[in-house]
Amino acid sequence: MADLSTSVGKLKLKNPTMLASGVLGDSGESLLRVAASGAGAVVTKSIGREPRDGSSGPSLVQLEHGLLNVDGFANPGIDEYAAEIRVALGGEIPVIGSVFAEDVEFYGPLARTMELHGAHALELNLSYPHAEGLEEIAGDADLVGKVAAEVKSAVKVPVFAKLSPNVRELVAVARAVEAAGGDGITAISTVRAMSIAPDVARPVLGRKFGGLSGPAIKPLGVRSVFQIYEAVEIPIIGVGGVLTGLDAVEYIMAGARAVQIGSGVHYRGLDVFQGVCQEVEAFMDENGYARIEDMVGIAHEQ
Ligand SMILES: Cc1cc2nc3c(=O)[nH]c(=O)nc-3n(C[C@H](O)[C@H](O)[C@H](O)COP(=O)(O)O)c2cc1C
């Protein structure tokens, strides 16, 4: 039988599935349930310095081929979240703490606090708008490099930078993460999108624009991982539209060492982790792959 264990740098995983940030990550209890359902690791909701309320109006709508959600950055704040991490650590799988900040200099202290709370690794959510405008931090390779370097000097645990597809120079940003000493890259976050309700002639979301996730964005995620794999040596975690084992295999063959599942929980429930693992294993057995490692990046071979 195929061996599903894998590693993302120093982080060892019993299987290649992780819970993606923002989905069921609000409380330690829900992270524990995800651990019990068979995930290889969990990522917390993105946490900032201060508590922040959610937006009013619909915040998540299901479209034909994906989900549209408001990037509200609602969270209880880093101090309050310590208790949730403590609970989540009982799940006996790696807990990856996701952090976001309004400014470069806030990332280091925030990441350090997340590490002190007990997170085994950090994921940097770089989708927050720049101080000057609406452009995401993730769109500016220099800024991303600065954030990654700040965080690396503040913590000892592995640091993964989560990249956004809403940028022009994805590969340059990935290279900046590597040059700054980042331990890995997570790709991708949601795609900026919009839906309009014809009957009322208004945007469906109160904030007009939201983040698209789920099956609709899988080809964009796979393409992003493929390109990043050719540009950097550090490990990649693939995310975007993973619902089945074959979706996970696509990401792995593009170059990912693990995948995250967010919308998949909405579509398949908590069984999605075990289901994806069983389907990956069946695929490997049928096709003669003994280890995840044997599939990583093989779509690049001529
Ligand atoms: C409801 C919802 C909330 C999310 N919140 C966060 C978040 O707090 N931080 C983050 O980095 N990504 C967040 N994301 C993005 C996911 O982590 C993931 O990158 C994206 O949804 C693509 O994966 P999927 O197709 O498996 O959902 C959120 C996604 C959804 C659907």
Side-chain angles (χ1 to χ4, degrees):
M1 274 222 304
D3 176 2
L4 287 188
S5 66
T6 184
S7 60
V8 181
K10 287 189 198 125
L11 207 65
K12 307 276 177 247
L13 306 176
K14 65 179 176 182
N15 70 59
T17 66
M18 300 180 174
L19 175 73
S21 180
V23 178
L24 289 181
D26 287 12
S27 77
E29 287 297 334
S30 57
L31 292 171
L32 272 188
R33 280 196 287 136
V34 174
S37 71
V42 289
V43 184
T44 70
K45 176 164 191 50
S46 292
I47 304 296
R49 293 188 309 152
E50 306 285 343
R52 216 179 140 107
D53 288 337
S55 59
S56 56
S59 59
L60 181 76
V61 287
Q62 181 162 348
L63 305 180
E64 263 170 315
H65 304 295
L67 306 177
L68 188 61
N69 87 90
V70 181
D71 330 323
F73 292 91
N75 78 98
I78 189 73
D79 295 335
E80 188 86 352
Y81 201 70
E84 309 304 336
I85 296 273
R86 247 193 320 275
V87 172
L89 291 173
E92 292 178 357
I93 55 172
V95 175
I96 301 168
S98 170
V99 292
F100 78 93
E102 303 81 0
D103 226 319
V104 175
E105 73 249 35
F106 299 147
Y107 271 94
L110 195 55
R112 173 80 185 124
T113 310
M114 189 59 108
E115 179 183 50
L116 290 173
H117 288 346
H120 299 107
L122 287 160
E123 187 175 88
L124 310 178
N125 179 348
L126 302 165
S127 297
Y128 201 81
H130 270 216
E132 309 93 66
L134 277 176
E135 201 58 29
E136 295 173 20
I137 291 173
D140 185 330
D142 289 343
L143 212 51
V144 169
K146 273 190 200 138
V147 170
E150 287 270 330
V151 174
K152 276 302 288 178
S153 65
V155 303
K156 295 194 182 66
V157 295
V159 176
F160 308 134
K162 185 169 182 182
L163 302 197
S164 165
N166 309 316
V167 305
R168 254 168 292 164
E169 296 289 346
L170 184 73
V171 164
V173 178
R175 288 204 176 105
V177 173
E178 183 172 57
D183 300 284
I185 287 170
T186 304
I188 54 175
S189 56
T190 54
V191 179
R192 202 174 303 135
M194 179 178 204
S195 178
I196 290 177
D199 51 342
V200 292
R202 288 284 176 278
V204 171
L205 295 177
R207 289 202 187 176
K208 300 192 182 85
F209 306 128
L212 185 64
S213 61
I217 72 167
K218 191 186 76 176
L220 184 46
V222 171
R223 185 269 290 171
S224 302
V225 169
F226 192 93
Q227 284 186 308
I228 294 167
Y229 184 81
E230 297 203 332
V232 300
E233 302 283 322
I234 53 178
I236 307 164
I237 302 166
V239 52
V242 175
L243 266 63
T244 68
L246 287 185
D247 296 332
V249 167
E250 266 196 69
Y251 271 103
I252 293 167
M253 289 183 168
R257 303 191 60 90
V259 294
Q260 294 180 355
I261 299 174
S263 302
V265 177
H266 177 87
Y267 288 99
R268 283 184 74 174
L270 272 183
D271 290 343
V272 67
F273 298 98
Q274 216 170 29
V276 166
C277 287
Q278 281 164 359
E279 291 152 14
V280 169
E281 192 175 13
F283 174 85
M284 291 171 72
D285 288 341
E286 274 161 36
N287 292 276
Y289 296 108
R291 298 172 312 147
I292 295 290
E293 172 87 36
D294 301 339
M295 297 193 292
V296 175
I298 59 167
H300 294 259
E301 289 165 18
Q302 299 297 316

